[in-house]
Amino acid sequence: QVQLQQWGAGLLKPSETLSLTCSVYGGSFSGFFWSWVRQPPGKGLEWIGESNHRGSAKYNPSLRSRVTTSVDTSKRQFSLHLTSVTAADTAVYYCVRDLRGPFDFWGQGNLVTVSS
Amino acid sequence: SSELTQDPAVSVALGQTVRITCQGDSLRNFFACWYQQKPRQAPVLLIYGEKNRPSGIPERFSASSSGNTASLTITGAQAEDEADYHCNSRDGDHVVFGGGTRLTVL
């Protein structure tokens, strides 16, 4: 069974950089894309971006200028960095296994709050 | 803003059938996927591809599509089906989500 376990800072000040990492346990790692999804409080889901072990990455156009994702195959981990955060970036962030359409395994979610 | 459109809320009587819809241009070229999310939990994949259910998903959940509209049908809704339902699809190189539908089982 595949499990995703994620971690990172939960409280940020405006203009800081959000950084989250997700470890993948079980299953294959290199053969998949890995995505990040966020959910502002009381709102719907928003795709942030995806990447794979070959360095191929795609990002949500609305976030592209601030987002970077990376994959470390040796550690079976992938990471998200979002720069210049504002209160609008307050959300629960999820790491997910991306089947280029369906997201079949999800991390537990991290609430990231941006507040001065 | 979401590029797939869902009704914000739908209700169904216990044991009855309910359809939740998702509309958007990307659905003309890509299949919708459906997720169930209960409070304070991560979403769970319900349906993917044309009509595929992951292992463990009850048969009462089914999907269909026509043109730019995808539908999730729950046949014989149970109390435990009360949750938020989200749709998504590929849109070229990107992924788009609907705004989610809150299902109340009466």
Side-chain angles (χ1 to χ4, degrees):
Chain A
Q1 178 74 329
V2 177
Q3 290 188 327
L4 279 63
Q5 187 168 359
Q6 57 184 105
W7 68 90
L11 180 61
L12 296 173
K13 290 182 167 53
S15 81
E16 292 184 334
T17 295
L18 179 158
S19 295
L20 296 173
T21 300
C22 186
S23 277
V24 180
Y25 300 95
S28 173
F29 183 82
S30 297
F32 294 96
F33 276 79
W34 304 93
S35 270
W36 293 91
V37 174
R38 70 180 183 179
Q39 185 172 35
K43 296 186 178 180
L45 300 168
E46 179 182 34
W47 177 72
I48 298 170
E50 67 184 15
S51 54
N52 70 357
H53 71 287
R54 296 178 178 175
S56 175
K58 301 293 182 184
Y59 302 127
N60 187 320
S62 69
L63 299 170
R64 182 180 294 137
S65 64
R66 298 191 292 130
V67 172
T68 304
T69 57
S70 60
V71 173
D72 187 336
T73 304
S74 65
K75 294 182 179 179
R76 296 174 60 93
Q77 292 178 352
F78 60 107
S79 298
L80 168 70
H81 299 283
L82 180 67
T83 62
S84 305
V85 297
T86 69
D89 295 311
T90 293
V92 175
Y93 286 75
Y94 295 100
C95 59
V96 299
R97 191 172 79 169
D98 179 356
L99 301 183
R100 309 314 304 288
F103 297 152
D104 62 344
F105 290 101
W106 294 64
Q108 79 275 18
N110 278 111
L111 173 62
V112 178
T113 302
V114 180
S115 174
S116 56
Chain B
S1 63
S2 305
E3 296 185 46
L4 296 177
T5 301
Q6 297 182 244
D7 291 329
V10 172
S11 62
V12 61
L14 185 66
Q16 297 303 301
T17 295
V18 63
R19 177 174 293 181
I20 297 170
T21 61
C22 175
Q23 288 188 305
D25 288 340
S26 62
L27 299 180
R28 297 186 184 280
N29 299 306
F30 298 94
F31 289 118
C33 301
W34 291 94
Y35 305 83
Q36 178 191 68
Q37 185 181 29
K38 295 184 177 180
R40 295 171 298 283
Q41 295 183 19
V44 172
L45 179 64
L46 288 177
I47 304 278
Y48 66 98
E50 189 169 6
K51 299 181 179 185
N52 302 302
R53 283 188 311 274
S55 174
I57 301 301
E59 291 183 2
R60 64 179 180 273
F61 293 96
S62 63
S64 61
S65 65
S66 178
N68 74 335
T69 301
S71 301
L72 172 72
T73 299
I74 307 175
T75 304
Q78 303 299 302
E80 61 263 32
D81 298 336
E82 185 161 289
D84 292 332
Y85 291 85
H86 305 273
C87 63
N88 82 337
S89 77
R90 297 293 304 187
D91 185 9
D93 286 337
H94 307 120
V95 175
V96 291
F97 276 97
T101 296
R102 177 150 296 177
L103 176 67
T104 300
V105 179
L106 304 171

